Amino acid sequence: MSFLDLKNVTKIYPNGTKAVHETSLSVDEGEFMVFVGPSGCGKSTLLRMVAGLEDITEGDINLDGQLINEVDPSERDVAMVFQNYALYPHMNVYNNLAYGLKNRGIDKETIEQKVNDAAKLLQISDFLQRKPSMLSGGQRQRVAMGRAIVRNPKIFLFDEPLSNLDAKLRIQMRLEIKKLQQKVGVTSIFVTHDQVEAMTLADRLAVINNGIIEQLGTPIEIYNNPESLFVAGFIGSPQMNFLDANLNNKTLSAENFEIKNIDSDYNGEVTLGIRPEHLIESENGLINLKVELVEQLGSDNLVYGQIKNIKDFCYRSPGNQTIKRGDTLSLNIEENKYYIFDKSTGKRVN
Amino acid sequence: MTRLITSGFSHFILFIGILIMIVPVWMIFASSTHTGLTINTHGLQMFLGDSFYENYMRVLLYQGGFFKEITALKMFLNSFIMATGVAILSVITSLMAAYALVYYRTKYATLLFWIIFVTILVPLELRIFPTYSVMAELNLVNSYFGLIVPISASAIATLFFRQFYKTVPDELLESAKLDGANTWRFFVDFLVPLSKTMIVAMLIFMFVFGYNQYLWPLLVTSSEQYWTVVMGLKMMSGSIVHRFAFVMMSMVPPILIIIVLQKHFIKGVFQDK
């Protein structure tokens, strides 16, 4: 049995809404697991069930070999970092960190030692006497992390902790969280709706949609091998291009091009997915893209254009290329770098 | 130039308003420092006389009442005990009631709240006979307990605390839970310190409310030993200057409380954090 084990965990709210469908999941000790999905997909509910803040309608949760379904949150030995940090506004930083330890009846000297160690690790030693209202967003974030670290819990739970920070700080804190987790080595679950955050932080990633885990795997597995249309569209930035097509006898026919010898026995209407970064310019390419807009990012360009009736088709070109509005580009797909999904079920078929 | 005139005009109106409020009080105070003879012959006075010490000391220490048992000093003590008791007790009960209403999510919390709220529409005077008979049955007539307890449940204070608790984010409770705080600890370590300013404001409100009670103390005390200042105002007999002096002194405790705590008071009522 692994460190954290969810078995057929289900959440049905009193009004009948099924927020989480029978979900089974294992997290190994020291692993950094990320739940990612659009808002309202049930990822936070799942996390809160692990924390004990939501009741479990059905199923079992085991943590470190103990069934914790009925265990009070205060007894579960989990620590959580909330989206708005939930710092205690009337206590200074020191007491914010020390409060959980005091409640566990730890003696004063040990508390002081632990708080100072955590403060040092997070570089907040200078503000221990300040109230949270006197701290900046990034500092508050650190205090919230400190409050989790200081208790040395079995598991860290992060509920979108970076979404209140500005873009630059978010990237910095993301890096620090990852480093910190590697240093402390505590099993962590991180919930986010930001796929870049998810990709960069995760050891493993669970892509959740409508209360169901659509795919579970390492970030690169999921990027390279999305199992469904939803995962393909959600992971990757800019988003994967989707085209309607038909698959018949291993031949895919889209609006104005064909791909032969496809490794699939499926016949019928499909959706073809191509990532913007898997296109290359070549003479007599499959796709003719009429350029409408170019976003220059420096390292590369994002070219948006039209293929016949399909709008906003995106192609990522190298940054040193000059492409103008109105140009027509001839593009090929990198070998085997395309994804074919059943149009009705969204399942991958190639 | 026009701005100067309009601002001068509005200041003039405000000044008149202040005069209307201050002058009668001042006249009573000025008159209370004269001898009774001066008042009787020359009417109310606008300027200070020289009998201040003599008049005020006489009022404080004079044995009044039908049985000559009570001094004004004792009345002040009674009023102070009553007002403080009402203030502290009603703040405690309201804090706890609001806590239960907001955090124990029973189906009936809202209904219960409205039932409590409706009691605002039922003034003490309406329920005074049943309340009195309960106190009489319990043998609590003529006691501080009987003076304080029946008026120590405040729907207004409960309302204020409830609305405040509703603004406390849920994450705070959840975070405290994960930090090992039980229901009681959350109340003591979080809600009470967070509502500190509001508690002070409510203490002032309820102190003044308790201090100003007239009908209830009148009914529940027959012994002069339990007379309060507001009852004394009615019962006072003697020279008009002594009554004026008593009126002046009766205003001091609430004013003092407000002056000392006004900073908290304003914070507590007008910004809920």
Side-chain angles (χ1 to χ4, degrees), chain B residues 117-134:
Chain B
F117 191 75
V118 159
T119 62
I120 291 177
L121 304 177
V122 186
L124 178 69
E125 287 73 10
L126 257 176
R127 58 176 172 94
I128 206 148
F129 285 109
T131 310
Y132 181 82
S133 80
V134 169

Side-chain angles (χ1 to χ4, degrees), chain A residues 176-326:
Chain A
E176 286 188 26
I177 288 179
K178 183 73 179 171
K179 275 194 217 155
L180 201 72
Q181 197 266 346
Q182 282 171 349
K183 200 190 250 173
V184 187
V186 177
T187 314
S188 305
I189 302 180
F190 189 103
V191 162
T192 179
H193 60 264
D194 182 322
Q195 55 97 13
V196 180
E197 234 167 77
M199 295 285 283
T200 48
L201 283 171
D203 290 332
R204 268 197 313 154
L205 195 61
V207 184
I208 301 178
N209 185 30
N210 288 328
I212 295 166
I213 296 185
E214 292 247 350
Q215 195 172 350
L216 187 68
T218 64
I220 206 69
E221 270 169 27
I222 290 182
Y223 174 83
N224 283 336
N225 249 323
E227 282 167 8
S228 71
L229 194 64
F230 174 81
V231 175
F234 198 80
I235 298 294
S237 169
Q239 211 194 351
M240 190 186 274
N241 297 298
F242 292 117
L243 311 170
D244 286 338
N246 258 303
L247 186 59
N248 261 316
N249 293 327
K250 299 185 184 293
T251 301
L252 180 103
S253 33
E255 193 140 350
N256 57 348
F257 61 88
E258 273 191 350
I259 307 173
K260 288 193 167 123
N261 294 325
I262 284 181
D263 182 19
S264 169
D265 294 325
Y266 183 84
N267 286 319
E269 287 197 348
V270 292
T271 304
L272 171 68
I274 310 161
R275 292 200 188 276
E277 53 270 38
H278 291 159
L279 291 161
I280 32 173
E281 270 184 82
S282 65
E283 281 176 45
N284 302 321
L286 279 175
I287 301 163
N288 287 316
L289 181 71
K290 194 154 181 275
V291 178
E292 287 175 330
L293 185 81
V294 182
E295 288 180 347
Q296 291 184 308
L297 302 179
S299 60
D300 42 24
N301 299 321
L302 298 180
V303 181
Y304 295 91
Q306 201 172 349
I307 313 172
K308 273 204 163 169
N309 295 323
I310 303 143
K311 285 186 178 169
D312 295 331
F313 191 89
C314 182
Y315 156 57
R316 183 187 285 240
S317 82
N320 50 18
Q321 247 175 341
T322 42
I323 298 169
K324 288 191 307 293
R325 194 191 149 146

